[in-house]
Amino acid sequence: MEMTHDTNDIIVGLAGHIDHGKTSLIRAINGFDGDRLQEEKARGITLDLSFSHINTPMRNIAFIDVPGHEKLVKQMIAGAYGIDVLLLVVAADDGIMPQTREHLAIADMLGITQCVCVLSKVDKATPTLINQRKAEITKLFGTHTIALIDTLPFALLDSQGKEFEQNPYIDPLLFLLQTLPKPKKRDYGMVVYYIDRAFSIAGAGCVVTGTLMSGEITKSQELHICELQKQVQVRNLQIHDTDCTLATPSHRVALNLTHTNPNELQRGFLLTQKGFVRGANSIDVQIHCFEDKNLKHNTNYELYIGAKHLPIKLTILDKDLGFCTLSAKEPIFALFMQPFILREGNISVCGGYVLNPINDPIKKKTKVPLLQALLAKDFPQAFKILSRIHRHGFGVVSSTQRFGLSHQESSTILQNLHESKEVFFDSKDLVAYPLSELEWLKNAILDIFIKNKHALLSAQSLQLKYKWASLSLLQTALIELLAQKFILQKDSLFVAKNNDIANLEEFLEQKIYELLSQQEFAPIAPYNLYENLEIDRKLGDKVLKNLTKSQKVLRVAHNLFITTQSMNKLVAIMREIIHTQGYIDITLFKSKLPLSRKYLINYLEYLDNFADITKDGDKRILRFTP
């Protein structure tokens, strides 16, 4: 039976130093043995992420048990991105250990807002030592943003050294986890789902598991695998082994995907909607070093972002502000203000937030003010800077990824900047330009009229020349020149002030015919012809149609127009070759007229219109007549 799951469900992540009892705690809660692999059993540690859940009267609680071994902290980072509540396990006999501090610092940096601390192995500590450990834990949390909800005791064994049949420490912990308010997860404005496992099931095909961080996933939905640039469909989805129609954030979700197989998928691959996220080989970030750690300029580190990790090179832009650029050999699919961790070998060096997921190739003196504006979420200032950087158009179609804004929110900001005359914004194409480019276009248009007083311009004809400019920007430039009385308007076209053409169509018929006659056997395409004459495309098409209708010009192919006089000369040349050689093909034709194949093929095909000429393979010959 298909169903939807309660949006009140939470994901609890266990963390803590090796052998402090995380896996034992999970087994006591729901009987799940996280050390499921033979290697884990043999070594007595959890090597990979382990997943389990328990249904309580108030909500379903999913558990992610992460490794505690120092060399396996990278697995902890991979699991932490989807956690609602951290369950930090500290052994009462050992107290706070290095990985306790590291796990807490990582969870804090990755944005986990609340933590329940479990003081395990209390059967091995005196009441005095237990109180001391609680005080040490409270002090540790005083140096972090993450909130300590409570510290609860736990022991696996009773006073006789036997494992509890009904562990008395579990009910208070479960009650607390049931009643904790669910933290509000960040909405990235799109589906954000990282794959942590991929495998194949007989009869179903490819299945992936992961945590849904943002957005919703429904059955039959199309999703995009960013790293593969591949579209897949959700054939089915499950939450806690139950078929569902809808998954929402804070759900561990299994997806049955079409059009892919497990062999091409890797942990950390990002699933989202097509067109929302693009990769970049470098991103700009702000970093915060962990205690007693320092970053080194032009140094290689390992980047952990989402459930993925990859090698990067770090360049420091501003040490005091913590601004850096991270560069990789493969695309990084990052999101605005997405948290990450940097490690060097087995040491967690720092955490940080992505400020610019699509790195702009700009100088440091410009980039630092941009990153300051992005950090402050001063988007009007950021957009002004970006429009100056991208002189030929700054598009906001990637606003969700780049700024955490919808297209509508970005458009509103840019429209306000447009109305205050700080940028030019084309609301149709969602592109902003600096006002300096509008002035540049106005000067360029005036130059056209100075060089050619017979130019007949429109926004459409200008776009052939200035492909980077939107029609709205070009039309605005023309309208402003008209309002300033620098140019005139005739019908729908713009002309020079000293333009003396009485009849535009007659004038253009003459000009176009003259140019086609000059080009003879190798006429240029119509749009190039219009660009050379600096005339409007629509009017040019109309004039060319009139010339064809009057049979002064022939249309031999889609973009090949030639004067009838020139075509008659060509036919005579081709017939002469047939009479002397017995046939004509491209090789013979080219030896007589060294034109490109584009022309030669179209002219040979024109011969097929004559009744006395037939095609024999690649040759044209005269028909046999008795």
Side-chain angles (χ1 to χ4, degrees):
M1 176 182 174
E2 292 184 344
M3 58 180 289
T4 59
H5 272 264
D6 192 344
T7 56
N8 189 45
D9 294 351
I10 62 168
I11 297 176
V12 175
L14 280 87
H17 195 76
I18 183 173
D19 199 31
H20 273 208
K22 298 186 305 298
T23 305
S24 298
L25 176 62
I26 284 292
R27 187 167 67 248
I29 291 173
N30 59 16
F32 179 79
D33 186 355
D35 295 334
R36 68 200 181 290
L37 302 178
Q38 185 174 358
E39 184 182 2
E40 294 174 353
K41 288 283 191 183
R43 294 176 60 187
I45 61 171
T46 308
L47 290 178
D48 204 346
L49 302 178
S50 299
F51 306 103
S52 64
H53 69 97
I54 184 171
N55 279 311
T56 71
M58 299 181 66
R59 60 167 42 134
N60 186 289
I61 304 171
F63 294 94
I64 301 179
D65 182 13
V66 298
H69 195 278
E70 193 275 333
K71 292 183 180 179
L72 301 175
V73 174
K74 63 182 182 180
Q75 305 292 358
M76 181 268 168
I77 300 169
Y81 71 89
I83 291 171
D84 294 306
V85 181
L86 184 70
L87 202 57
L88 184 65
V89 181
V90 179
D93 52 351
D94 285 345
I96 296 169
M97 298 293 282
Q99 272 67 60
T100 312
R101 297 180 182 278
E102 187 174 9
H103 282 198
L104 184 61
I106 290 169
D108 197 26
M109 190 65 246
L110 293 180
I112 300 173
T113 58
Q114 51 188 357
C115 175
V116 174
C117 191
V118 172
L119 194 60
S120 64
K121 304 184 183 182
V122 291
D123 54 321
K124 297 182 179 182
T126 64
T128 301
L129 183 58
I130 290 172
N131 289 332
Q132 179 184 328
R133 297 301 188 213
K134 286 183 178 181
E136 291 168 352
I137 290 167
T138 301
K139 183 178 178 181
L140 175 63
F141 274 83
T143 61
H144 292 78
T145 304
I146 187 170
L148 175 62
I149 304 301
D150 202 351
T151 300
L152 300 178
F154 172 73
L156 186 64
L157 306 177
D158 60 21
S159 58
Q160 279 76 43
K162 297 181 180 180
E163 190 167 333
F164 287 109
E165 289 187 13
Q166 187 71 34
N167 197 304
Y169 296 106
I170 296 304
D171 283 346
L173 174 60
L174 281 180
F175 178 78
L176 180 59
L177 294 178
Q178 288 181 75
T179 54
L180 270 179
K182 180 175 178 177
K184 186 177 181 181
K185 283 289 185 73
R186 175 164 173 209
D187 181 7
Y188 283 96
M190 66 182 91
V191 169
V192 178
Y193 177 100
Y194 287 102
I195 295 172
D196 54 47
R197 288 178 184 155
F199 48 90
S200 184
I201 293 179
C206 181
V207 175
V208 298
T209 63
T211 301
L212 181 58
M213 290 179 63
S214 174
E216 296 182 346
I217 297 179
T218 59
K219 189 175 179 179
S220 301
Q221 183 174 348
E222 297 280 337
L223 292 175
H224 187 69
I225 305 173
C226 292
E227 284 79 2
L228 300 180
Q229 292 296 291
K230 187 175 186 178
Q231 199 80 345
V232 295
Q233 187 178 41
V234 179
R235 180 185 286 123
N236 190 28
L237 58 96
Q238 285 190 349
I239 300 174
H240 308 315
D241 304 322
T242 304
D243 288 346
C244 296
T245 56
L246 171 69
T248 55
S250 290
H251 277 143
R252 291 281 310 157
V253 189
L255 304 176
N256 182 200
L257 301 178
T258 64
H259 308 116
T260 190
N261 66 78
N263 296 329
E264 62 180 355
L265 301 176
Q266 297 176 22
R267 171 179 283 177
F269 276 14
L270 174 61
L271 268 65
T272 184
Q273 298 110 306
K274 188 175 182 180
F276 274 73
V277 177
R278 58 191 176 102
N281 286 85
S282 61
I283 60 176
D284 297 321
V285 303
Q286 186 192 41
I287 56 91
H288 303 275
C289 286
F290 294 142
E291 186 179 4
D292 300 327
K293 303 296 188 299
N294 290 296
L295 284 177
K296 290 167 277 187
H297 183 60
N298 284 340
T299 301
N300 295 323
Y301 294 94
E302 194 82 4
L303 168 67
Y304 292 79
I305 187 164
K308 187 172 186 174
H309 64 93
L310 68 161
I312 58 92
K313 184 175 182 179
L314 178 141
T315 304
I316 297 176
L317 298 172
D318 189 304
K319 188 173 183 179
D320 293 334
L321 295 172
F323 293 155
C324 301
T325 296
L326 311 182
S327 303
K329 292 182 179 179
E330 62 180 275
I332 305 170
F333 295 92
L335 309 172
F336 178 65
M337 292 306 293
Q338 185 175 11
F340 64 86
I341 301 294
L342 289 184
R343 303 194 86 218
E344 185 176 25
N346 294 322
I347 300 172
S348 298
V349 178
C350 71
Y353 295 95
V354 176
L355 296 178
N356 194 11
I358 308 295
N359 193 337
D360 297 291
I362 55 178
K363 295 179 180 178
K364 185 168 73 170
K365 67 178 183 179
T366 304
K367 181 169 285 188
V368 169
L370 171 62
L371 297 181
Q372 286 179 301
L374 291 171
L375 179 62
K377 297 187 179 179
D378 183 355
F379 296 115
Q381 179 64 17
F383 287 178
K384 283 190 285 186
I385 295 172
L386 285 166
S387 68
R388 289 197 296 269
I389 294 167
H390 299 278
R391 292 176 45 248
H392 286 177
F394 160 59
V396 291
V397 291
S398 300
S399 286
T400 309
Q401 176 191 9
R402 292 199 65 175
F403 314 112
L405 301 173
S406 66
H407 289 165
Q408 183 57 52
E409 289 170 328
S410 293
S411 296
T412 300
I413 293 169
L414 283 168
Q415 189 62 40
N416 290 337
L417 292 174
H418 177 90
E419 290 171 3
S420 61
K421 300 191 182 302
E422 295 181 86
V423 301
F424 180 92
F425 177 55
D426 184 336
S427 58
K428 181 180 179 183
D429 289 353
L430 296 177
V431 179
Y433 303 88
L435 292 180
S436 58
E437 289 309 287
L438 179 61
E439 294 304 313
W440 186 92
L441 279 173
K442 288 163 68 175
N443 289 327
I445 292 167
L446 290 176
D447 284 343
I448 291 173
F449 286 128
I450 290 170
K451 295 173 183 176
N452 179 10
K453 72 173 186 177
H454 293 145
L456 306 169
L457 302 181
S458 68
Q460 288 77 8
S461 66
L462 286 169
Q463 200 172 47
L464 293 173
K465 192 177 186 72
Y466 308 111
K467 295 179 174 61
W468 53 268
S470 72
L471 289 176
S472 176
L473 180 65
L474 292 165
Q475 185 69 15
T476 300
L478 289 166
I479 293 297
E480 288 192 5
L481 287 173
L482 180 65
Q484 294 166 340
K485 299 185 178 179
F486 288 129
I487 60 175
L488 301 175
Q489 188 170 15
K490 286 189 178 182
D491 298 327
S492 61
L493 301 178
F494 296 87
V495 300
K497 286 181 71 173
N498 59 345
N499 184 290
D500 56 2
I501 302 171
N503 187 304
L504 296 181
E505 289 188 24
E506 288 181 6
F507 171 79
L508 283 180
E509 281 188 24
Q510 181 183 343
K511 291 294 291 183
I512 289 176
Y513 187 79
E514 285 176 2
L515 281 175
L516 289 176
S517 297
Q518 291 169 11
Q519 293 159 6
E520 199 172 23
F521 304 145
I524 62 176
Y527 296 157
N528 295 328
L529 189 69
Y530 306 155
E531 188 173 356
N532 289 349
L533 286 171
E534 291 166 330
I535 62 172
D536 175 69
R537 179 186 296 187
K538 189 175 180 181
L539 179 59
D541 284 346
K542 184 178 181 182
V543 168
L544 201 54
K545 186 176 181 181
N546 290 340
L547 285 170
T548 305
K549 190 175 181 180
S550 64
Q551 297 187 345
K552 291 181 180 179
V553 171
L554 294 174
R555 184 176 189 177
V556 178
H558 173 64
N559 272 332
L560 179 54
F561 291 80
I562 185 171
T563 64
T564 303
Q565 185 179 9
S566 296
M567 193 67 234
N568 288 338
K569 289 182 183 180
L570 278 170
V571 171
I573 292 169
M574 290 187 287
R575 282 185 176 277
E576 178 63 25
I577 294 172
I578 293 174
H579 282 298
T580 57
Q581 302 293 329
Y583 70 94
I584 186 173
D585 62 8
I586 282 188
T587 304
L588 283 175
F589 197 7
K590 192 173 184 66
S591 67
K592 185 72 174 177
L593 274 179
L595 298 172
S596 71
R597 289 177 62 87
K598 176 187 73 173
Y599 290 111
L600 296 174
I601 291 172
N602 284 319
Y603 293 151
L604 284 173
E605 289 178 350
Y606 184 78
L607 283 180
D608 298 338
N609 294 317
F610 294 90
D612 63 330
I613 295 176
T614 187
K615 185 176 180 182
D616 181 15
D618 294 331
K619 302 175 180 178
R620 265 76 177 181
I621 59 175
L622 289 172
R623 289 182 184 275
F624 173 76
T625 54

